[in-house]
Amino acid sequence: MTRPLKVPAKAGYHHANLRRALLDAAINHLRDAPVATLTVKQLARDAKVSPGAPYHHFKDRQELLAALATEGFERWIASASTVAAAPETPSNKLANLARAWLAFAAEHTPHYRVMFLSELADRQRFATMHAAAAQALELLVGVLREAMPDAADGRRAERAVIAWSTLHGFASLRMNGVLGNIPGVPELEALEDAAAASMARLVLDAADS
Amino acid sequence: MTRPLKVPAKAGYHHANLRRALLDAAINHLRDAPVATLTVKQLARDAKVSPGAPYHHFKDRQELLAALATEGFERWIASASTVAAAPETPSNKLANLARAWLAFAAEHTPHYRVMFLSELADRQRFATMHAAAAQALELLVGVLREAMPDAADGRRAERAVIAWSTLHGFASLRMNGVLGNIPGVPELEALEDAAAASMARLVLDAADS
DNA sequence: CGAGCAATCTGAGCGACTCTTAGATCGGTG
DNA sequence: CACCGATCTAAGAGTCGCTCAGATTGCTCG
């Protein structure tokens, strides 16, 4: 159970655990507001500390966002591991994993908002975050490995990226409100099922091609 | 050929066409920098006007971004229309459309960066942009309509969203540098083909299920 | 147990940014 | 050619990111 990345020593201080309080304030804010509106100063106000206090826990605003993203990847890995370890057929497992991803994006919108931010693309500066992201992909590849054991490694990785793209693309479009009430488009729930089903097909096709 | 949304009267003035100059400066900036780093003040400096001048052409920063996004959708619709009108089998047409999308995202990265921004999710405030976005989806649905003429309308729209998700997800992950040098993952070009192929399969499956 | 250290927080402040407003300046129209 | 409206400038109010000197606190270790 790897939940928080690092609990600072023994928790207590003036403000018990400011680092966590800031992250929680950020999560709360991002529930229904885009990342651009998130302000370090406001987080400090929420936590009832001075405007400079956050900078003792995060080098700058980007590192705070990166910490939140890392937490998001870790939580996803934790819940996805459960799905991956379930006694199911590889095909069902894959569909469940797809549904789990979309559910995660819906329930943890605040985290999801920062998990693929182009401001955090720097691999060296945000190494720990990218390590967690790579682990998340690795988990997806692992399930695909089970589902199509006869395919070549390259093809498996290729399918993993395509599948990831579908899930992320759908979650992203939905989160950004692009899919809202487009005439003729089915309910979003049905779309979740369709996305999951298309992932399963993605793998079945690979076995015999 | 609907290229710019609205040419201000007759072009000329002090600064010939500041509106266009600002958009071009924005495009230039976004070529290799995330949206968060884009500054109205800097655009004004680039265009050699005072910091307040841009606000006579755009109500605020968001409307400038929305104008850029609208332009992006319009350009995409223009180039996609060509693909959709080509004399090809529906299946090939679909694959070409998929490749065209990914090529568009790669070549027009600056526009693509703002085309699905959550800051611009408000449908009323950015009505013209969302209208253009809806038209883009409509075009995709149109090609799908040809490709699976026997399927129900709901199913077609469903496949359109899934296909769109795959394309947007892949373009987005690539643009944000998430796919860069992950070990075991094939070259990005091969992935483009795989994405296009998966789109074609998406439709073929729908015909007989 | 107590002195010192390191981590944490405050408060003030610098530079930059968004957006507003009053007024100058220009282009086109009647 | 006088005027009007569109465009631009200059200045400024309010906010934000981030820094820094100094105060405060918990922890460690002699």
Side-chain angles (χ1 to χ4, degrees), chain B residues 3-209:
Chain B
R3 283 281 297 293
L5 179 56
K6 216 197 293 183
V7 175
K10 275 274 192 51
Y13 198 63
H14 270 179
H15 185 292
N17 193 341
L18 181 54
R19 180 189 163 90
R20 182 98 293 270
L22 291 169
L23 289 175
D24 287 341
I27 291 170
N28 199 51
H29 177 91
L30 291 176
R31 209 167 295 282
D32 40 25
V35 182
T37 67
L38 187 142
T39 286
V40 177
K41 225 172 189 157
Q42 181 60 49
L43 298 183
R45 279 191 292 262
D46 292 347
K48 299 185 201 301
V49 292
S50 78
Y55 292 93
H56 289 275
H57 297 272
F58 304 100
K59 188 171 166 292
D60 54 21
R61 197 186 98 117
Q62 292 195 344
E63 292 224 336
L64 191 151
L65 297 179
L68 206 59
T70 305
E71 189 174 86
F73 280 116
E74 285 168 349
R75 288 190 187 182
W76 157 249
I77 290 167
S79 78
S81 298
T82 310
V83 175
E88 274 282 0
T89 69
S91 178
N92 283 349
K93 211 183 274 188
L94 207 59
N96 288 341
L97 202 65
R99 258 183 285 268
W101 179 280
L102 299 178
F104 178 88
E107 288 165 23
H108 298 77
T109 308
H111 285 100
Y112 203 85
R113 280 188 205 275
V114 296
M115 282 169 70
F116 302 98
L117 228 51
S118 58
E119 291 111 288
L120 308 180
D122 191 319
R123 282 194 148 63
Q124 301 184 336
R125 188 153 149 54
F126 309 107
T128 55
M129 190 207 81
H130 278 97
Q135 204 178 336
L137 178 59
E138 196 53 45
L139 202 144
L140 188 57
V141 175
V143 176
L144 284 169
R145 211 182 301 274
E146 290 181 48
M148 38 180 185
D150 298 335
D153 265 14
R155 173 155 299 241
R156 271 199 287 248
E158 167 197 302
R159 295 300 162 113
V161 172
I162 302 297
W164 199 14
S165 295
T166 306
L167 295 177
H168 172 57
F170 181 75
S172 175
L173 289 174
R174 181 178 58 179
M175 187 178 69
N176 294 349
V178 184
L179 299 183
N181 63 348
I182 291 179
V185 170
E187 295 303 315
L188 290 182
E189 285 189 7
L191 285 173
E192 278 207 20
D193 290 337
S198 97
M199 263 200 54
R201 268 195 306 270
L202 205 57
V203 172
L204 297 182
D205 283 350
D208 46 73
S209 74

